[in-house]
Amino acid sequence: MNQQFKDYSQVVSQYIGNLPNDGGDWLVAQRSSAAERFTELGFPHAKLEAWKYTGIEGLLKQGFETLDKSPEFAEHAVLNQFLPEPVAGRLVFVDGVYQADLSTCDAVGITVGNLRSAMAASDRTVLEAIGSLSGVGDHGFAALNLATVHDGAVIRVAAKTSLEQPVELLHMATKSAEGQALRSRHLVMLETGASANLIERYVALDGVAYFNNLVCEISLAQGARLTHQRVQHESPKAYHLSDIHLGLQADARYHGINAAVGAAWSRTVIHNRFLDRGASCELDGIYLAGDGQLTDFHLDVDHAVPHCDSRESFKGILHGAGKAVFDGLIQVREQAQKSQAHLHNANLMLSRQAEIDTKPQLVILADDVQCSHGTTVGQLDPQAVFYLRSRGIDEQLARHLLCLGFASEVIDRFESETLRLQLTEVIRQQVRG
Amino acid sequence: MLTIKNLTANVDSKEILRGVDLDVKAGEVHAIMGPNGSGKSTLAHILSGRDGYEVTGGEILYKGQDLLRLETEERAQQGIFLAMQYPVELPGVNNMTFLRESMNAIRRSRHEAEIDAVSFMKLVREKAASVKFDQKLLKRSVNAGFSGGEKKRNEILQMAMLEPYLAILDETDSGLDIDALRTVADGVNLLRSPERSMIVVTHYQRLLEYIEPDHVHVLAGGRIIRSGGKELALELEAKGYGWLLEEAAA
């Protein structure tokens, strides 16, 4: 561990040292403080409560490196991944590298682009937004992301713009991602009264091993609305870490629909800060874990101001020797009266070897609030399996239909029909009863 | 169609069936009546292949083959249908999907082409109307939040869709008011045909006013103690089971 940490630190200082000194990368100051932060924090370990059940030994053993190399890929392979639905804009990253030729945006009132270009153009809004919600990083990987960030998406929706079609943010990993640590950082900013629908996807072409270390900052100004459909369908050998930071101004509404169905190891952390009254945050999620897979969701919803609502509903299907971690923290601070917060986590265990560590946490300091939480861990109902079999359906299909039924409550919330069909198919193929 | 010979069976090592004989020919409707705990539901469950029952002796021949060697789904594929006393709720499993998957599973087992979406929709609407099943419920999860009557009607709808050769109705009348009972019975009567046999398991004679049986059997203490025509049901209604049980004991 120590040697590895030294190696990483060295890589980080080299990376920062090699950055152009001509002002093209005005993150230098932030990179340096993030590098210091990384040295201070080191890698997360099991003694930290938030990392107790999510080991990183396997990740460190892989020794992923950050290489500034251009991906090699066939264009049609990327085009094949595009959603068939019409989009207001599309941003494409292949192995973490922005693909301007494949990215488009024709709609009025929205600007999409990449972080590097924004840096080159010395875009002040972007500069100020970086780290404004996430800080320098509350764990080693997040600090590492800021210190060595390569590129990322920048999506801005102008005040009162209402986009009917979704914006697609596609990440694809190809063979050339093998052994690489990809560090992207996304910024999504909706101005006052803007409304948008973002579809963020992580897909891979081949069974490649890489580490996607992401940070995403989303700020919604007063009355802005964002529907965020997010699918992690990385390569089965990949490692995926997402830190999502939400900042919601008065009357803003965020609805995140999450699916984590790929990767050998994945962790998604969603932090939500209510910055003013009347805002609402809804989070739905479905996760799968089978042999050799670990899937982790950490939610951190902070009611620091009164009159805000949050709802979280996450469902997990564990099969084979799959392992999942769910940690849902909701804090309602003393001054946050008239808050509503409801959290639910349900897990379907299809085998004896599967494991779930689930922890809903409600910390309520205000007295005039409506809050609830619930967790279930269960198996398929044998009566239900029998019922389907008695109608001619064989046991395997019966179990599949029941698993899909369990997941459908979340899957049906995806607005994109293509995503609904894809996720249904993934469950059909991956889940072995 | 179905021949049961000297069937004995245990539940949790307790002997429930103590030698049941029954012969059901194509097109016949047999009623099996009897007091609570007589083994009626056990018999229905064994026919459908439910777990938890240990057959200790005797045999069951369905269309000439040994039924007990078949898995539950194979029995359904070969035309056996059990309308359940307590239909199970399947949250998240769409009723339409359920019906279509069932139909196609049965068709595949018979090397027939799967039904296409348009024909299926047409068929399901037609059948739902014939058994007075609310079309709106087709789009909902199977039985989830359905009333008792709606659940039973859903069973009859499934039966109408799957067109079994042998239908077993396990206490289909339980928990139904008289109107619901009548619509369920009407649905069953529509399905009566010379190729289709039915076994109607019931505690009360009431259902048999609407579904007229060809034969009535009284099951008590794990044996059929009396068989007769439909008039036997009326006699039981008037006199209860006591006299028969006494006769059997004597």
Side-chain angles (χ1 to χ4, degrees), chain A residues 215-291:
Chain A
V215 175
C216 184
E217 292 177 276
I218 300 176
S219 58
L220 304 188
Q222 189 179 352
R225 286 168 181 240
L226 180 67
T227 303
H228 189 184
Q229 306 174 65
R230 198 168 191 281
V231 177
Q232 181 275 98
H233 191 185
E234 302 270 24
S235 142
K237 288 184 182 166
Y239 290 74
H240 176 106
L241 173 60
S242 281
D243 265 25
I244 301 165
H245 296 267
L246 307 168
L248 273 54
Q249 293 291 349
D251 303 317
R253 302 180 79 85
Y254 174 86
H255 185 192
I257 309 119
N258 300 274
V261 298
W265 181 101
S266 88
R267 176 178 168 105
T268 307
V269 188
I270 306 174
H271 303 270
N272 177 66
R273 302 277 169 272
F274 289 116
L275 302 168
D276 206 341
R277 295 172 176 233
S280 129
C281 174
E282 288 186 275
L283 303 172
D284 288 287
I286 178 83
Y287 48 89
L288 302 184
D291 284 340

Side-chain angles (χ1 to χ4, degrees), chain B residues 116-219:
Chain B
D116 65 86
V118 177
S119 313
F120 173 79
M121 288 305 294
K122 198 169 158 249
L123 187 68
V124 77
R125 285 187 201 289
E126 190 185 297
K127 297 286 186 185
S130 79
V131 301
K132 296 195 174 66
F133 183 79
D134 187 348
Q135 307 265 350
K136 273 183 251 148
L137 299 179
L138 288 171
K139 291 179 190 150
R140 298 236 314 251
S141 294
V142 180
N143 297 330
F146 287 20
S147 72
E150 286 165 346
K151 284 182 184 172
K152 295 295 172 78
R153 244 172 284 180
N154 202 9
E155 295 290 288
I156 304 307
L157 169 63
Q158 291 164 30
M159 180 163 124
M161 292 292 287
L162 302 180
E163 300 186 315
Y165 297 114
L166 174 65
I168 304 146
L169 281 69
D170 186 13
E171 309 253 4
T172 293
D173 49 338
S174 69
L176 294 187
D177 62 32
I178 198 74
D179 291 331
L181 183 69
R182 201 171 282 153
T183 39
V184 165
D186 287 347
V188 171
N189 286 328
L190 278 176
L191 297 169
R192 286 181 78 154
S193 86
E195 301 83 45
R196 185 170 294 132
S197 310
M198 294 189 191
I199 297 174
V200 180
V201 174
T202 181
H203 183 78
Y204 300 105
Q205 188 267 342
R206 202 175 62 153
L207 179 65
L208 304 178
E209 284 175 24
Y210 302 101
I211 304 173
E212 209 172 279
D214 300 305
H215 300 275
V216 175
H217 310 276
V218 177
L219 186 65

Side-chain angles (χ1 to χ4, degrees), chain A residues 315 381-409 412 428, chain B residues 48-50 71-73 76-77 80-84 87-93 97-98 101-102 105-106 108 142-143 155 158 162:
Chain A
K315 287 189 154 190
D381 176 8
Q383 308 265 21
V385 176
F386 172 75
Y387 191 48
L388 288 158
R389 290 180 65 203
S390 78
R391 299 301 181 249
I393 296 169
D394 67 48
E395 183 157 358
Q396 199 190 357
L397 181 56
R399 296 178 71 93
H400 266 134
L401 289 171
L402 293 171
C403 287
L404 288 172
F406 175 81
S408 68
E409 194 194 332
D412 287 349
R428 217 180 253 280
Chain B
S48 69
R50 195 168 204 143
E71 294 290 339
T72 296
E73 56 268 34
Q77 289 160 2
I80 292 184
F81 181 91
L82 172 69
M84 302 202 184
V88 183
E89 298 194 2
L90 307 177
V93 180
T97 309
F98 173 58
E101 292 284 357
S102 301
I106 290 174
R108 281 194 301 271
V142 180
N143 297 330
E155 295 290 288
Q158 291 164 30
L162 302 180

Side-chain angles (χ1 to χ4, degrees), chain A residues 81-109:
Chain A
Q81 293 290 338
F82 287 3
L83 289 176
E85 289 102 326
V87 294
R90 177 178 287 123
L91 281 147
V92 181
F93 290 82
V94 177
D95 301 343
V97 178
Y98 180 61
Q99 305 297 319
D101 296 349
L102 297 171
S103 303
T104 49
C105 182
D106 306 320
V108 177

Side-chain angles (χ1 to χ4, degrees), chain B residues 14-17 34-42 171 203 219-222:
Chain B
K14 194 179 165 217
E15 196 175 29
I16 303 293
L17 298 183
N36 288 329
S38 60
K40 303 189 299 287
S41 282
T42 297
E171 309 253 4
H203 183 78
L219 186 65

